[in-house]
Amino acid sequence: MANINVLAPFILSWEGGVSNNKNDSGGLTNKGVTLAVWTKHGRDINGDGVIDGNDLVTITDEDAVKIMKLLYWDTVKADKILSQNVANILVDWAWNSGVGRAAKEVQAIVGATVDGIIGEKSIAAINAMNSEVLFKKIFEARLKFIDNIVASNPKNKVFEKGWKNRLNSIQYGKLVYNGGQKNIEFADQPTSSADVTNNRCPFAVKIGAAHDAGNSAISMYCTRYHDGIDKK
């Protein structure tokens, strides 16, 4: 099964910190979390009785990942997706363009009812399809989506290169962090000889040779799995 701890550090590497670009309809954001989302689902960090932008600009990576899991990962039932690769590209698309948009695109590809709500039938259809074929089809659909929104709104042209660079960094079996300074490679299927500290980790993981430090997300998940905390 897919796990958010493989994807979350990649997303955070691409989001950066506080941003309030006039061309971005999301307005004030931090670590990819918009002010609208934070005021509804966040917390009053500074204790002034109001959840607002002053709280958003101080959120931690952990805060961002909680939002990511609650509103995106869990909403598309990514824990039930067998392929980490498929979960990666689906959830990243949902995070960037909305759950409904990403869900509908994937449902259309797998032949499920296109309603923007990922349910058990959609999950079954996703898991029934060859993961590499499905990944490539989602990639192509997302690339077409980017081309269309840039063509329909010239203000989006400024974001086109960054959007496509990010999409190209989501590869089958590999995630490349922003700037190319670190990458994570993994196999979809469980293995009895995972390339990690124990052989019960459900993914064979390899960190880019020049950047093998700071892989806390993978090592934490593998350790937790080994200890039986997340074992399924």
Side-chain angles (χ1 to χ4, degrees), residues 55-73:
D55 301 303
L56 177 61
V57 298
T58 64
I59 67 171
T60 64
D61 287 353
E62 183 180 3
D63 289 324
V65 174
K66 285 181 178 179
I67 293 291
M68 191 186 305
K69 187 174 191 306
L70 174 68
L71 300 182
Y72 303 91
W73 184 273

Side-chain angles (χ1 to χ4, degrees), residues 14 17 21 28 35 49 62 101 105 108 112 120-121 126 131 138 145 152 165 168 172 217-218 226 232:
W14 281 92
N21 192 309
L28 178 65
L35 179 58
E62 183 180 3
R101 164 64 63 180
E105 294 280 0
E120 296 303 322
K121 291 182 179 179
I126 288 170
S131 62
I138 297 173
F145 171 74
S152 64
N165 284 343
N168 286 324
Y172 191 82
I218 297 294
H226 181 73
K232 294 180 174 61

Side-chain angles (χ1 to χ4, degrees), residues 69-81 86-87 90-92 94-95 98-100 102-103 116-119 122-123 126:
K69 187 174 191 306
L70 174 68
L71 300 182
Y72 303 91
W73 184 273
D74 288 350
T75 303
V76 301
K77 294 181 170 57
D79 278 340
K80 295 185 177 183
I81 296 176
V86 171
L90 168 57
V91 175
D92 188 75
W95 174 264
V99 169
I117 301 172
I118 299 292
S122 293
I123 289 295
I126 288 170

